Amino acid sequence: MKPLRPRLARKLGTQPWVMSLAKGIIWLDKRLHRVFGGRVTLVGIAGLPSLRLTTTGRKSGLERSTNLLYFPDHDRIVLVGSNWGRERDPGWTFNLRANPEATVGVRGREFPVHAQALKGEDYDRMWARLLEFWPGYEMERVAAGRELPIFVLTRREP
């Protein structure tokens, strides 16, 4: 039997009203990250895997960071550009497409990664696995009216 917190979080993640709380959830998660140096996140408190992705802004060239839920896939990290069901892909997806080299922070530890967008059959296979992990992605896909981008991140040498 799966632990209660992740089960509850996954159930809540399929409720449309939760998407309306996105701004508050993001605000709180940023504060937790700052106060606890990345060791505590709202997603982590819910018992789910979370990370801080730092990309290079495709236009500005500046570092841009965001906290995200991720799907652990053996030695890879899988991210979904759901953007809380909004019509547009999140900014970090544009940055990764322009420059796939990024940094990931997990529980206060950082390491460099290389991102690859999934397409075709690889996308379809991963999408099925992602829906088992986080069923709310389907609700977000429908709300967004777009295919949600999937990126696989692999660790690289610094």
Side-chain angles (χ1 to χ4, degrees):
M1 185 169 175
K2 294 180 182 177
L4 178 60
R5 285 182 300 151
R7 277 196 342 238
L8 178 60
R10 284 181 177 94
K11 178 66 176 167
L12 287 172
T14 63
Q15 306 304 307
W17 58 267
V18 171
M19 288 191 298
S20 68
L21 302 176
K23 284 185 180 180
I25 291 170
I26 292 167
W27 179 88
L28 179 57
D29 204 40
K30 284 181 180 179
R31 293 329 172 265
L32 287 171
H33 184 274
R34 186 176 301 132
V35 169
F36 293 100
R39 293 181 311 278
V40 177
T41 65
L42 198 54
V43 172
I45 290 170
L48 297 167
S50 69
L51 58 75
R52 184 163 183 90
L53 176 69
T54 302
T55 60
T56 301
R58 71 190 183 289
K59 293 180 182 177
S60 68
L62 300 175
E63 286 190 347
R64 304 291 185 198
S65 297
T66 188
N67 297 344
L68 300 167
L69 168 70
Y70 75 92
F71 174 59
D73 183 37
H74 306 288
D75 60 344
R76 306 183 314 169
I77 292 170
V78 181
L79 300 177
V80 177
S82 67
N83 205 16
W84 293 87
R86 295 184 184 115
E87 292 179 4
R88 189 167 192 258
D89 289 352
W92 61 263
T93 64
F94 295 100
N95 294 342
L96 282 183
R97 288 180 188 117
N99 179 3
E101 308 305 315
T103 302
V104 164
V106 178
R107 289 184 216 92
R109 292 188 171 153
E110 291 190 346
F111 53 91
V113 294
H114 177 82
Q116 178 182 359
L118 293 185
K119 301 286 182 200
E121 290 179 10
D122 291 334
Y123 180 98
D124 295 340
R125 278 192 295 275
M126 184 58 73
W127 180 250
R129 294 180 63 204
L130 286 164
L131 290 181
E132 289 178 20
F133 169 71
W134 187 253
Y137 284 140
E138 181 59 21
M139 176 188 66
E140 293 176 73
R141 184 194 64 76
V142 170
R146 61 182 168 83
E147 180 177 272
L148 304 182
I150 300 172
F151 288 86
V152 173
L153 279 56
T154 54
R155 197 174 193 141
R156 62 183 169 86
E157 294 301 317

